[in-house]
Amino acid sequence: MSRSLIVFPEAGAKPLLDAIAGAKQSLRVKMFVFSDPQLLDAAIAARKRGIDVRVMLNPARRSGETENEESRRKLVEGGVSVLDSNPAFDLTHEKSMVIDDGEAWVMSLNWETRNVSQTRDYAIVTKYAKEVGEVAECFDADWHRKEFKPREGSPLIWCNSNGRERFAHFIDRAKHTLWLQNERYQDAVIIERVVRAAERGVKVHIVARPPHTLKAEKLIEGVGGLRIMSDVGGKVHKLKHIRLHGKMMLADGQRAIVGSVNLAPGSFDARRELAIEVDDAHVVQPLEKVAKHDWDHSEALDLTDEGLMADLEKRGKESHAADLVLDADPGDKPKNHNQNHHTRNHK
């Protein structure tokens, strides 16, 4: 089979380690955060056995926080060629790997220990020559600071090129069911498409992270997007058994998108991101099984002002809680935002 699905954290680091160990000629890795000791050692071991290993790392988050400096030092000392990601983008959030020009990995996970051992994440591995070549072509273009143009008709989805259009079209074609797992629901176009899907009768299941995990400046738009989708009948839940990091869409049990893209304007407009759309039954069916399993181990997000305030306050985030209360005077007890809509308990 030319494509396969890997589900984390169940799979652990072994599939990645085995893939790296199996490289015979070359290894290209583009990563937002790369810090897992096992994976670092595997990349260095590959270089020591003569593999051409190139690693492109995002130099810093928007906040200025750097997370890859120690990893860069270790890789360089091990003989690996390391370069900052393309400065043409605000940051590079893509997570990909190309092995021997014969296999490409499109991932939601960073190469951090927690992503391979604790968080819900996904990878799709493709051996289709055109797809592998396209991922490699983008890597080389970013490495040499040249322009890259996505290929017409490709299953691969690139930001900041065709991401929003492709995601919107994917949602527009949903007829019966739509399962969404994402950390952020902030892009107005995508939210509009989800609303339209719900209004034409599509059963929409949304898994999000609790609002307290959003940055302070993103609270209002993040919560607003969830409330809008909830108002039209979308069921909005949070996972209970595991932390969500994966970015996945599944429509009608027949089509899926997996990759690095958060549903936020920054991801679509200013970042280097990569996802892939697939319709292989042997990939989509197990993905649907995971989505339903996660839903069975989730609970409805309380999107009332009271619920959101409680979510923030019990985690020591009181300084940001007021940002969510759009209809209360300072010092007042928070009131429900749109009482008629936000007291529903979606199951």
Side-chain angles (χ1 to χ4, degrees), residues 62-277:
R62 288 176 57 196
S63 63
E65 179 184 4
T66 58
E67 298 171 283
N68 290 318
E69 286 305 307
E70 180 61 24
S71 299
R72 170 192 281 272
R73 182 193 62 77
K74 186 172 182 179
L75 289 166
V76 170
E77 288 179 355
V80 174
S81 299
V82 183
L83 194 66
D84 283 348
S85 52
N86 192 339
F89 302 93
D90 284 356
L91 55 81
T92 290
H93 195 241
E94 175 185 344
K95 303 98 160 57
S96 67
M97 173 169 64
V98 179
I99 300 173
D100 295 337
D101 289 319
E103 178 177 294
W105 290 55
V106 179
M107 296 170 276
S108 68
L109 67 149
N110 291 303
W111 282 11
E112 295 183 275
T113 301
R114 64 179 179 177
N115 286 133
V116 296
S117 63
Q118 299 176 17
T119 65
R120 170 63 71 230
D121 267 298
Y122 304 98
I124 288 182
V125 184
T126 178
K127 295 184 179 180
Y128 282 110
K130 289 184 178 180
E131 295 167 15
V132 177
E134 188 173 349
V135 178
E137 181 184 343
C138 181
F139 182 98
D140 291 344
D142 284 349
W143 185 271
H144 296 293
R145 307 327 195 202
K146 295 182 178 179
E147 184 181 2
F148 165 75
K149 292 184 178 180
R151 298 180 184 179
E152 290 291 332
S154 170
L156 296 170
I157 302 170
W158 297 95
C159 299
N160 60 357
S161 299
N162 60 10
R164 182 181 284 109
E165 176 186 356
R166 291 284 301 278
F167 273 66
H169 185 53
F170 180 92
I171 297 168
D172 288 347
R173 288 180 288 142
K175 296 179 181 178
H176 307 292
T177 59
L178 187 63
W179 298 83
L180 308 178
Q181 290 186 351
N182 207 282
E183 292 183 279
R184 296 168 61 188
Y185 298 84
Q186 296 166 344
D187 188 78
V189 172
I190 300 304
I191 292 167
E192 175 198 16
R193 291 315 205 278
V194 174
V195 167
R196 290 183 176 187
E199 289 182 337
R200 66 175 180 267
V202 177
K203 294 181 180 179
V204 180
H205 296 77
I206 298 161
V207 177
R209 292 181 65 186
H212 77 272
T213 63
L214 294 173
K215 294 180 180 179
E217 66 271 17
K218 298 297 183 181
L219 280 171
I220 293 176
E221 61 182 302
V223 171
L226 295 176
R227 283 174 162 174
I228 289 168
M229 293 185 290
S230 175
D231 281 347
V232 296
K235 298 178 180 180
V236 182
H237 280 211
K238 61 181 178 180
L239 298 182
K240 295 190 295 184
H241 68 305
I242 198 170
R243 180 173 180 246
L244 175 66
H245 183 262
K247 300 92 172 65
M248 181 273 288
M249 286 185 170
L250 176 67
D252 301 328
Q254 298 178 340
R255 301 176 291 113
I257 290 177
V258 167
S260 68
V261 185
N262 286 309
L263 304 179
S267 294
F268 290 121
D269 295 331
R271 299 181 177 187
R272 170 68 84 203
E273 304 268 13
L274 173 61
I276 185 169
E277 181 176 349

Side-chain angles (χ1 to χ4, degrees), residues 268-312:
F268 290 121
D269 295 331
R271 299 181 177 187
R272 170 68 84 203
E273 304 268 13
L274 173 61
I276 185 169
E277 181 176 349
V278 299
D279 58 9
D280 316 62
H282 66 274
V283 172
V284 174
Q285 289 175 3
L287 192 57
E288 185 177 33
K289 185 176 180 180
V290 173
K292 291 180 177 180
H293 171 272
D294 285 352
W295 191 259
D296 290 341
H297 294 79
S298 69
E299 61 185 1
L301 262 177
D302 185 349
L303 296 174
T304 65
D305 278 352
E306 286 87 349
L308 296 169
M309 289 282 284
D311 180 70
L312 294 172

